[in-house]
Amino acid sequence: MKRLVVIVLILLGAGKIFAQQSFLDNQKMFPKVGEAYREKEELLKKEFEKKGLTYPAKYMFVRSFKLDSEMEIWVKNSAADTFRLFKSYRVCTLSGKMGPKRKEGDRQVPEGFYYINDFNPNSNYHLSLGINYPNFSDRILSDPKNPGGEIYIHGNCITVGCIPLTDEFIDEVYIMAVNAKNAGQDFIPVHVFPVKFGNQGSMNYLGTFTLTDSSSKQFWTELRSAYDYFEKHHRLPVVLVDDKGKYVL
């Protein structure tokens, strides 16, 4: 009986320790995440310091531009602060074409307003961060039976509808996302645009689609409104979805 009591107490103690373990501590237990922190954290600290930013950032915002093959990481440390650009990463390759994802197997990278909803430290693509496609708008406008899913920002530099980075880059992005979630940011926003609307060359290319596709033109107008708001204020706009799936700022 005494041995049984001791075992129960040990298990209760272990359970208490596990309950107190932070999201960061839990993630570091995975080999690829632990290695990423060992290899990248000091470099990230120096880059933050060089740019006058406080590490680790408590808030993180991701913007990705399909045609421009670019992904930006914006950060801040107080809800009242405006976001500041930390770094731009090169996206390895693009699957599909301009325009939103609308069904399973269309090879399209989604376009719209999302948030990170999954951390996969055991990904087949090194490390990966899932985004919540299909969102409310996608569920209305996409194939009702097979809209697709499992869209990630990941490593390995290959893709069929996701946002691929090199392993070196995803290590940094993953670390920053873990830090932000550990600090309490449960919904890390990810905005995916067809182009960088401030890039005239990219806009000219986008124009070749909008001339013949009125639905895409309207959709991209909705996306640009949010892009322009952030460019002006460096704050995230509040984006709602109406009953027809339209984004409303």
Side-chain angles (χ1 to χ4, degrees):
M1 180 62 71
K2 289 183 179 179
R3 288 182 180 179
L4 181 59
V5 171
V6 170
I7 291 172
V8 170
L9 290 174
I10 290 173
L11 290 175
L12 288 173
K16 185 176 181 181
I17 292 171
F18 182 79
Q20 292 175 342
Q21 188 178 55
S22 70
F23 179 75
L24 172 60
D25 291 335
N26 179 263
Q27 284 286 311
K28 281 184 174 182
M29 291 175 66
F30 294 94
K32 284 185 283 188
V33 180
E35 182 179 1
Y37 268 89
R38 288 191 296 273
E39 293 186 355
K40 290 290 184 179
E41 188 166 40
E42 286 305 316
L43 294 174
L44 282 172
K45 287 179 180 178
K46 290 178 181 178
E47 286 192 67
F48 267 70
E49 183 180 358
K50 185 177 180 180
K51 295 180 179 180
L53 300 168
T54 301
Y55 181 90
K58 294 181 180 178
Y59 296 89
M60 173 179 168
F61 166 50
V62 182
R63 287 203 307 183
S64 186
F65 306 98
K66 288 165 64 170
L67 182 65
D68 302 85
S69 297
E70 186 177 349
M71 191 177 76
E72 298 175 344
I73 303 297
W74 295 73
V75 298
K76 64 179 184 177
N77 275 285
S78 166
D81 292 342
T82 54
F83 278 100
R84 293 178 58 187
L85 178 63
F86 168 63
K87 196 171 185 177
S88 295
Y89 293 93
R90 184 75 176 171
V91 176
C92 288
T93 185
L94 174 65
S95 173
K97 59 184 180 180
M98 298 300 100
K101 182 174 182 62
R102 290 294 180 240
K103 62 181 179 180
E104 178 75 35
D106 62 5
R107 302 176 64 88
Q108 285 292 94
V109 177
E111 295 174 12
F113 308 107
Y114 303 95
Y115 59 83
I116 292 172
N117 68 346
D118 184 34
F119 288 74
N120 186 354
N122 289 319
S123 173
N124 291 330
Y125 301 93
H126 190 55
L127 295 170
S128 60
L129 298 165
I131 66 173
N132 67 315
Y133 174 89
N135 63 17
F136 290 120
S137 173
D138 299 321
R139 290 172 190 170
I140 295 171
L141 298 176
S142 298
D143 186 309
K145 293 184 178 179
N146 296 297
E150 296 188 0
I151 304 299
Y152 286 83
I153 302 167
H154 61 66
N156 268 23
C157 213
I158 56 174
T159 187
V160 181
C162 292
I163 303 173
L165 303 174
T166 64
D167 290 355
E168 179 182 2
F169 289 166
I170 191 62
D171 279 349
E172 296 185 8
V173 175
Y174 197 94
I175 286 172
M176 287 185 282
V178 168
N179 288 341
K181 182 173 177 60
N182 191 67
Q185 189 183 17
D186 290 325
F187 299 95
I188 299 172
V190 179
H191 292 185
V192 185
F193 299 106
V195 299
K196 188 173 257 189
F197 291 107
N199 183 328
Q200 190 57 50
S202 297
M203 286 297 294
N204 290 341
Y205 181 82
L206 196 63
T208 65
F209 290 86
T210 59
L211 291 175
T212 58
D213 188 344
S214 59
S215 64
S216 289
K217 184 175 182 179
Q218 175 59 41
F219 179 73
W220 289 330
T221 298
E222 296 165 20
L223 298 191
R224 178 158 191 175
S225 295
Y227 172 91
D228 289 343
Y229 180 92
F230 184 82
E231 284 293 289
K232 181 178 180 180
H233 302 286
H234 286 181
R235 297 183 185 277
L236 291 172
V238 176
V239 181
L240 306 177
V241 177
D242 69 14
D243 58 1
K244 294 182 179 180
K246 178 182 177 181
Y247 289 119
V248 180
L249 211 64

